[in-house]
């Protein structure tokens, strides 16, 4: 049975299936006379049936807008069919739209070649590299090209209330969060999750990026939000205590940064560093994401002059303490 839950009037969660991490949230915000959808779930028939059931149960009314917090396919997978069905406009940040357009229109062979080169740069051995495959976004092609560009600190009028747009990096390049003007609801996407929070990863397209630095900047912006604000995340249950959770996540990343520096006694590859930073349990859960997660730590320290980086003769990145 699909889990469709109304948390309060005008706030309904659709718990959509997701093979790897159990489920992903799509949200219906507003009463049925004026609603918007935040994120849409995975592409494919199982998630389409969730939306069919939501409509049959009377949860969906006049949907005028769809907001995709970021480009990952578990949040954008049903955007195109839902836009067609309800005549709704798409809203995203420009960079996230650019990235999903590229991913959905670029051949899997080309993306795989880029990913394999990236894994080699991080010191992964060939058998491990071969097992790793990029996510296939071709099923989303052609991704809708007409969309409303969301910008940081913009005020957005949706479902009868005002929302402040907060755009930040970390889990993705320019993820969108929406804070209700009355500070009662925060739509966080994957930027803010309960528990251990989102994975912060460097991707093959931007190997020099500093997503962890961008994420720290994002977390700092959440500190003034009242603890009573209800956070509606991209995965898991709603929660309160946003600032406390932001501080908890920052401290966890800082502990990993400190551990990396303490264990780095000589020049090391990302593969070597990952084995000292992440537990076997974490490595098993995140598997092929672990190298990019480790690189996010190394790049943060490199950008701030605490590590140096050079390349070996065969093109492998080596980091050491400055």
């Amino acid at each position: 049975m699909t889990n469709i839950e109304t948390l309060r009037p005008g706030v309904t969660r659709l718990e959509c299936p997701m093979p790897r991490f159990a489920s992903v949230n799509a949200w219906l915000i507003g009463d049925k006379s004026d609603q918007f959808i935040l994120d849409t779930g995975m592409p494919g028939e199982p998630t389409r049936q969730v939306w069919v059931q939501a409509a049959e149960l009377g949860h969906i009314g006049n949907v005028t807008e769809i907001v995709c917090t970021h480009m990952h396919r578990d949040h954008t997978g049903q955007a195109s069919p839902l836009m067609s069905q309800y005549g709704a406009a798409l809203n995203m940040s420009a960079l996230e739209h650019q990235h999903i357009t590229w991913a959905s229109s670029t051949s899997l062979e080309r993306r795989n070649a880029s990913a394999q080169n990236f894994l080699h740069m991080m010191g992964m051995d060939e058998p491990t590299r071969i097992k790793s495959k990029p996510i296939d976004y071709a099923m989303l092609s052609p991704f809708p090209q007409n969309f409303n560009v969301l910008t940081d600190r913009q005020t957005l009028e949706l479902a009868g209330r005002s929302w402040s747009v907060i755009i930040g990096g970390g889990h993705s390049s320019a993820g969108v969060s929406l804070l209700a003007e009355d500070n009662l609801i925060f739509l966080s996407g994957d930027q803010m999750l309960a528990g251990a929070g989102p994975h912060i990863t460097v991707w093959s397209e931007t190997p020099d990026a500093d997503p962890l630095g961008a994420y720290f900047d994002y977390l700092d912006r959440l500190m003034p939000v009242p603890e009573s604000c209800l956070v509606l995340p991209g995965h898991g249950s709603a929660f309160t205590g946003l600032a406390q959770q932001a501080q908890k996540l920052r401290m966890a990343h800082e502990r990993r940064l400190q551990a990396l520096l303490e264990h780095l006694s000589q020049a090391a590859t990302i593969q070597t560093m990952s084995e000292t930073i992440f537990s076997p349990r974490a490595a098993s859960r995140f598997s092929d994401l672990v190298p990019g997660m480790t690189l996010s730590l190394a790049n943060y320290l490199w950008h701030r002059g605490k590590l140096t980086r050079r390349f070996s003769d065969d093109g492998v990145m080596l980091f050491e303490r400055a």
Side-chain angles (χ1 to χ4, degrees), residues 114-171:
S114 175
Q116 290 297 309
N117 181 62
F118 184 55
L119 292 170
H120 171 75
M121 287 171 57
M122 291 190 289
M124 310 294 290
D125 59 54
E126 186 174 1
T128 303
R129 295 200 307 268
I130 292 173
K131 293 177 184 177
S132 181
K133 302 295 182 184
I135 295 172
D136 187 4
Y137 278 84
M139 63 188 69
L140 298 183
S141 180
F143 194 76
Q145 291 302 292
N146 292 325
F147 75 108
N148 298 322
V149 178
L150 299 182
T151 58
D152 190 37
R153 304 183 189 276
Q154 172 186 355
T155 298
L156 200 59
E157 301 296 330
L158 292 174
R161 68 198 309 169
S162 296
W163 305 83
S164 177
V165 177
I166 302 174
I167 294 180
H171 181 70

Side-chain angles (χ1 to χ4, degrees), residues 6-255:
T6 297
L7 277 66
R8 59 175 64 171
V11 177
T12 298
R13 176 171 77 132
L14 282 64
E15 190 176 357
C16 302
M18 185 180 177
R20 184 169 181 181
F21 293 115
S23 65
V24 57
N25 295 330
W27 297 94
L28 280 165
I29 307 296
D31 62 48
K32 288 198 289 184
S33 67
D34 185 10
Q35 282 181 317
F36 73 95
I37 292 169
L38 184 101
D39 291 332
T40 69
M42 290 281 289
E45 185 62 17
T47 299
R48 191 188 76 83
Q49 286 300 323
V50 175
W51 287 102
V52 169
Q53 185 178 16
E56 291 175 345
L57 293 174
H59 292 290
I60 304 179
N62 180 32
V63 174
T64 60
E65 308 283 342
I66 296 172
V67 177
C68 288
T69 57
H70 59 298
M71 61 83 67
H72 296 165
R73 65 176 181 170
D74 53 320
H75 297 262
T76 55
Q78 299 291 325
S80 184
L82 289 171
M83 289 170 66
S84 298
Q85 182 172 357
Y86 295 108
L90 176 64
N91 299 263
M92 297 182 72
S93 71
L95 191 55
E96 294 292 327
H97 186 270
Q98 175 186 326
H99 286 175
I100 194 170
T101 297
W102 177 86
S104 61
S105 63
T106 302
S107 71
L108 191 58
E109 291 76 14
R110 179 180 172 187
R111 295 183 61 235
N112 186 57
S114 175
Q116 290 297 309
N117 181 62
F118 184 55
L119 292 170
H120 171 75
M121 287 171 57
M122 291 190 289
M124 310 294 290
D125 59 54
E126 186 174 1
T128 303
R129 295 200 307 268
I130 292 173
K131 293 177 184 177
S132 181
K133 302 295 182 184
I135 295 172
D136 187 4
Y137 278 84
M139 63 188 69
L140 298 183
S141 180
F143 194 76
Q145 291 302 292
N146 292 325
F147 75 108
N148 298 322
V149 178
L150 299 182
T151 58
D152 190 37
R153 304 183 189 276
Q154 172 186 355
T155 298
L156 200 59
E157 301 296 330
L158 292 174
R161 68 198 309 169
S162 296
W163 305 83
S164 177
V165 177
I166 302 174
I167 294 180
H171 181 70
S172 60
S173 296
V176 169
S177 303
L178 300 179
L179 177 63
E181 189 177 44
D182 56 14
N183 286 327
L184 293 180
I185 297 175
F186 183 63
L187 303 168
S188 69
D190 283 4
Q191 283 285 94
M192 177 57 62
L193 305 176
H199 62 79
I200 309 300
T201 307
V202 176
W203 302 98
S204 61
E205 296 80 19
T206 54
D208 294 342
D210 179 25
L212 186 56
Y215 192 56
F216 283 167
D217 291 342
Y218 171 85
L219 294 178
D220 288 344
R221 295 176 63 184
L222 304 184
M223 299 310 292
V225 178
E227 294 293 275
S228 58
C229 181
L230 182 66
V231 181
L232 307 182
H235 302 269
S237 300
F239 62 93
T240 56
L242 179 61
Q244 182 178 359
Q245 176 65 358
Q247 184 63 20
K248 173 186 171 183
L249 296 183
R250 185 182 187 111
M251 290 174 64
H253 287 295
E254 288 176 343
R255 284 195 295 270

